[in-house]
């Protein structure tokens, strides 16, 4: 049974602030870079005037240095723990999770040396440099909303009896995604066919809109994934359909929301739009 020591921190499945099932104590000592990512900005001097003209400010990739200590009951347990650490400091994307009041995560990979120093037959200290290409710290909770195409109920039915009372209502076709964080986050939309030339309209709280139009037909069983961060459009997990999509990529602002509506010229009850996002922090 794993016993947590302080704030839970995990690199993939490896707990870095705990006593594990083998009796190995993992003591995290520092997580440099977790609280702040480097900024990318330029300042051009103003001619014959005080000050400078600033460029937009963007966050760069976030380097994170993870340091700590491993204390094991035996030399064999120490060596096994070292191998687990080497595997966890992955050459491919892995998730670093810090269970703060609002648990957050980064996706990162090894970007420098993994330094391991032997203290005695049972203990080592370590330092690992990893970098998150996407500097945002995301909520560990994935927000998911789904809706079918909008449908209309009511209206005029025949035969009619005077006086005529025309009432109808539209149901479905809309949902809202929320970002509780401090920096914009970008949703992923998945359309399950059948759907002909579907359109996704996104409305921000200030009334401005972004629209994504897909100029092709999805048949029953098709799945189209639109990643507004990667700017990718993938059909059935393999085929790029980016050339069929037009419009502007939506982003959910900090401490804001996005009202999402979708439509298609022909209604089909099997069609489904799903939107996912995570709140994001700087």
């Amino acid at each position: 049974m794993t016993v947590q020591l302080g704030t839970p921190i995990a690199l993939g499945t490896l707990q870095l602030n705990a006593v594990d099932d083998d009796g190995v104590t993992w003591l995290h000592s520092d997580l440099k870079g977790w609280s702040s990512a480097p900024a990318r900005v330029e300042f051009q001097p103003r001619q014959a005037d005080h000050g400078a003209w600033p460029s937009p400010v963007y966050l760069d990739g976030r380097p994170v240095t993870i340091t700590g200590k491993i204390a094991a009951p035996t030399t064999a347990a120490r060596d096994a723990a070292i191998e687990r650490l080497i595997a966890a400091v992955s050459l491919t994307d892995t998730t670093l999770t810090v269970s703060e009041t609002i648990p957050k995560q980064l996706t990162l990979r090894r970007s420098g040396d993994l330094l391991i120093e032997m203290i005695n037959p049972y203990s080592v200290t370590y330092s690992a440099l990893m970098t998150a290409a996407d500097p945002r710290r995301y909520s560990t909770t994935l927000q998911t909303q789904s809706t079918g195409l909008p449908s209309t109920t009511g209206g005029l039915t025949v035969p009619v009896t005077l006086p005529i009372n025309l009432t109808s209502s539209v149901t479905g076709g809309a949902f809202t995604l929320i970002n509780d964080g401090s920096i914009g986050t970008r949703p992923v939309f998945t359309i399950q066919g059948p759907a002909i030339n579907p359109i996704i309209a996104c409305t921000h709280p200030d009334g401005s809109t972004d629209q994504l139009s897909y100029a092709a037909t999805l048949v029953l069983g098709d799945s189209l994934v639109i990643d507004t961060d990667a700017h990718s459009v993938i059909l059935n997990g393999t085929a790029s359909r980016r050339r069929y999509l037009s419009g502007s990529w939506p982003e959910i602002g900090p401490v804001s929301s996005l009202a999402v509506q979708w439509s298609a010229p022909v209604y089909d009850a099997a069609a489904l739009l799903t939107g996912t996002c995570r709140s994001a922090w700087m």
Side-chain angles (χ1 to χ4, degrees), residues 33 39 54 56 78 91 101 104 160 165 169 179 192 224 238 251 273 277:
R78 181 205 66 183
L91 303 179
T101 303
K104 302 178 185 72
V160 298
N165 183 21
S169 61
N179 178 16
Q192 303 286 345
L224 185 75
T238 57
E251 181 176 271
L273 172 68
C277 74

Side-chain angles (χ1 to χ4, degrees), residues 13-42:
T13 60
L14 181 61
Q15 297 291 328
L16 298 180
N17 238 6
V19 180
D20 66 21
D21 293 342
D22 298 323
V24 177
T25 300
W26 299 78
L27 294 172
H28 153 262
S29 59
D30 195 13
L31 201 59
K32 185 179 180 181
W34 173 259
S35 299
S36 178
R40 187 171 69 248
V41 62
E42 293 182 357

Side-chain angles (χ1 to χ4, degrees), residues 24-279:
V24 177
T25 300
W26 299 78
L27 294 172
H28 153 262
S29 59
D30 195 13
L31 201 59
K32 185 179 180 181
W34 173 259
S35 299
S36 178
R40 187 171 69 248
V41 62
E42 293 182 357
F43 291 90
Q44 296 296 329
R46 298 179 66 170
Q47 296 298 319
D49 200 356
H50 303 290
W53 300 108
S55 72
V57 182
Y58 299 97
L59 296 182
D60 225 332
R62 183 189 295 259
V64 177
T65 303
I66 308 168
T67 58
K69 179 180 179 180
I70 300 171
T74 65
T75 301
R78 181 205 66 183
D79 292 345
I82 290 172
E83 293 302 326
R84 290 178 61 199
L85 175 66
I86 293 171
V89 183
S90 179
L91 303 179
T92 57
D93 284 347
T94 191
T95 303
L96 174 67
T97 304
V98 179
S99 296
E100 304 168 321
T101 303
I102 301 175
K104 302 178 185 72
Q105 65 184 38
L106 282 173
T107 299
L108 33 62
R109 61 177 62 185
R110 188 186 298 191
S111 57
D113 291 339
L114 170 58
L115 304 177
I116 298 174
E117 182 179 351
M118 304 291 183
I119 300 176
N120 56 49
Y122 311 110
S123 302
V124 300
T125 59
Y126 65 86
S127 175
L129 176 60
M130 306 184 77
T131 297
D134 182 348
R136 301 172 186 85
R137 297 176 298 153
Y138 289 100
S139 169
T140 57
T141 300
L142 180 66
Q143 186 180 159
T144 303
Q145 300 285 348
S146 296
T147 184
L149 283 167
S151 60
T152 303
T153 59
L156 180 65
T157 58
V158 292
V160 298
T161 302
L162 297 176
I164 299 174
N165 183 21
L166 295 177
T167 60
S168 64
S169 61
V170 178
T171 59
F175 54 74
T176 299
L177 297 172
I178 297 172
N179 178 16
D180 292 322
S182 59
I183 192 172
T185 192
R186 295 161 184 175
V188 174
F189 296 115
T190 302
I191 301 175
Q192 303 286 345
I196 300 172
N197 299 339
I199 296 173
I200 302 173
C202 303
T203 304
H204 300 269
D206 63 1
S208 61
T209 61
D210 295 297
Q211 182 170 289
L212 296 170
S213 301
Y214 184 70
T217 296
L218 301 174
V219 301
L220 183 65
D222 277 347
S223 177
L224 185 75
V225 178
I226 303 171
D227 188 327
T228 65
D229 182 49
H231 293 184
S232 63
V233 183
I234 304 297
L235 179 65
N236 297 332
T238 57
S240 174
R241 290 294 184 266
R242 177 66 182 85
R243 66 185 181 275
Y244 295 116
L245 191 78
S246 61
S248 54
W249 303 101
E251 181 176 271
I252 311 172
V255 195
S256 189
S257 61
L258 190 71
V260 180
Q261 294 179 302
W262 81 304
S263 61
V266 178
Y267 174 79
D268 194 303
L272 185 72
L273 172 68
T274 299
T276 62
C277 74
R278 297 179 189 269
S279 293

